[in-house]
Amino acid sequence: MSFSTFVQNPSHMFKKLIVFSFFCAAISFAHAQTIKTPQPSPTQTLKQDFGISSIELIYSRPGMKGRKIFGDLVPFGKVWRTGANSATRIKFTDDVTIGGQLLKAGEYAIYTTPGEKEWEFIINKGSANWGTEYKQEDDLIRVKATPVKLDQTVESFTMQFANVKSNSTDLQLMWDKTLVSVPITTDIDKKIMAQIDNAMNKDNRPYFQSAMYYLETGKDLNQALTWFDKAIEQNQNAYWIYHQKANALAKLGKKTEAKTTAQKSMDLAKTANNPDYVKLNEKLIASLN
């Protein structure tokens, strides 16, 4: 548009300038929305192999930032979202027992009620909740727990699986100088025994794995020895199998046989250039003297 046209119709041109200004402002705003900054309470996802399945935990981690936490930012005696943002979620792929109470496999929300001398750990159906949403009627499990005072300060709210064993673990919550722990267990014995019984009726029998399960769980050690021997027949240079057979013999009080078997394991380990098993057998033999 020429200058003469603008002079003839300034109102029309002014409207176009306003529209153009809004358009430029909209583009600038859109670009501003692409800026990414750190989350004030970043999300953490933990996945822990447990039993013969797994546990997955998703939660947000607020920081202390110079604030007093329990009894102030997080009041005593009130249900807390246990973190920040969305509800803290935990997913079990197998049935578990929490604080002695059975919980079916599935995904759940975790809430807690902090206290100076006692906490309450809550498993709730509301896994899709925003953190501040809570319905008591959706509670499935409530477990009492005693808080422990830590020597060092934990700046960021932290959850973890500790003391992980084949059928048990502790879910721990830590923030500021407070630690709360809740026991989780799972019944794997029936399932594994069923697997062993089923596998022993097939051609490719897992002798070593089955013997190891019997050894580790204190089941029939004579049966374990039979399976260790079968496994050795399949691989006569397997120093690791000889070592575990020696452990089984030692538990049965058969020291002479255990020493002989451990020596055999050590000789094979030296041939295979595996110093770790050489040391393991040396320690085993020393313990039998």
Side-chain angles (χ1 to χ4, degrees):
M1 182 179 286
S2 65
F3 178 74
S4 60
T5 304
F6 174 70
V7 172
Q8 292 171 5
N9 192 1
S11 176
H12 179 71
M13 186 60 184
F14 185 68
K15 289 179 181 178
K16 284 190 173 183
L17 286 172
I18 291 175
V19 171
F20 180 73
S21 297
F22 275 114
F23 178 72
C24 290
I27 291 175
S28 297
F29 181 77
H31 281 294
Q33 299 306 298
T34 63
I35 296 174
K36 187 173 182 180
T37 58
Q39 291 180 316
S41 301
T43 301
Q44 182 174 47
T45 300
L46 300 175
K47 189 167 184 179
Q48 175 65 57
D49 289 342
F50 181 58
I52 54 176
S53 59
S54 64
I55 309 175
E56 186 174 274
L57 177 69
I58 302 173
Y59 73 106
S60 294
R61 306 185 64 189
M64 288 181 64
K65 300 176 183 177
R67 301 172 293 185
K68 181 181 178 182
I69 303 303
F70 298 114
D72 190 354
L73 179 66
V74 179
F76 288 135
K78 293 185 178 181
V79 174
W80 177 42
R81 70 173 74 183
T82 314
N85 303 326
S86 299
T88 293
R89 305 194 306 276
I90 191 164
K91 183 177 181 180
F92 301 99
T93 53
D94 209 344
D95 298 349
V96 297
T97 298
I98 300 179
Q101 301 178 54
L102 180 64
L103 182 69
K104 293 293 184 181
E107 186 174 54
Y108 304 97
I110 295 176
Y111 295 94
T112 49
T113 305
E116 286 189 82
K117 296 183 178 180
E118 186 176 70
W119 280 48
E120 195 165 40
F121 183 91
I122 303 166
I123 295 290
N124 182 280
K125 293 179 183 178
S127 60
N129 289 351
W130 182 250
T132 53
E133 297 176 51
Y134 168 72
K135 295 179 181 179
Q136 185 172 345
E137 59 267 29
D138 287 339
D139 289 353
L140 296 170
I141 286 178
R142 284 175 170 258
V143 177
K144 302 289 186 182
T146 301
V148 175
K149 187 174 182 180
L150 299 171
D151 293 330
Q152 296 183 333
T153 299
V154 178
E155 171 65 28
S156 298
F157 175 63
T158 300
M159 299 181 75
Q160 66 178 15
F161 297 105
N163 306 316
V164 181
K165 299 178 182 178
S166 61
N167 65 341
S168 67
T169 187
D170 293 328
L171 176 58
Q172 294 184 341
L173 294 70
M174 294 176 287
W175 203 12
D176 197 349
K177 288 191 174 182
T178 298
L179 179 148
V180 183
S181 184
V182 179
I184 301 174
T185 61
T186 185
D187 184 5
I188 60 173
D189 187 63
K190 290 180 181 179
K191 292 182 179 181
I192 294 177
M193 290 299 290
Q195 290 182 53
I196 291 174
D197 290 342
N198 182 55
M200 288 303 170
N201 290 321
K202 296 181 178 179
D203 293 334
N204 189 17
R205 298 173 182 176
Y207 291 119
F208 180 64
Q209 285 180 291
S210 301
M212 283 301 300
Y213 185 69
Y214 270 47
L215 175 61
E216 290 171 353
T217 57
K219 293 187 182 296
D220 186 348
L221 292 179
N222 287 303
Q223 178 62 72
L225 286 175
T226 299
W227 286 336
F228 280 132
D229 286 337
K230 292 285 187 182
I232 288 170
E233 288 177 11
Q234 295 173 338
N235 185 353
Q236 296 186 9
N237 294 319
Y239 50 85
W240 59 92
I241 301 179
Y242 278 101
H243 177 72
Q244 298 300 346
K245 179 184 176 182
N247 281 325
L249 288 165
K251 285 190 175 184
L252 284 169
K254 299 180 179 182
K255 291 187 176 183
T256 302
E257 293 178 59
K259 287 180 183 179
T260 302
T261 305
Q263 184 63 53
K264 176 68 174 179
S265 174
M266 185 161 59
D267 293 341
L268 290 171
K270 288 178 180 178
T271 301
N273 195 27
N274 190 314
D276 291 338
Y277 266 87
V278 171
K279 290 181 180 178
L280 285 173
N281 285 294
E282 285 175 345
K283 288 182 180 179
L284 178 56
I285 292 171
S287 71
L288 295 170
N289 290 329

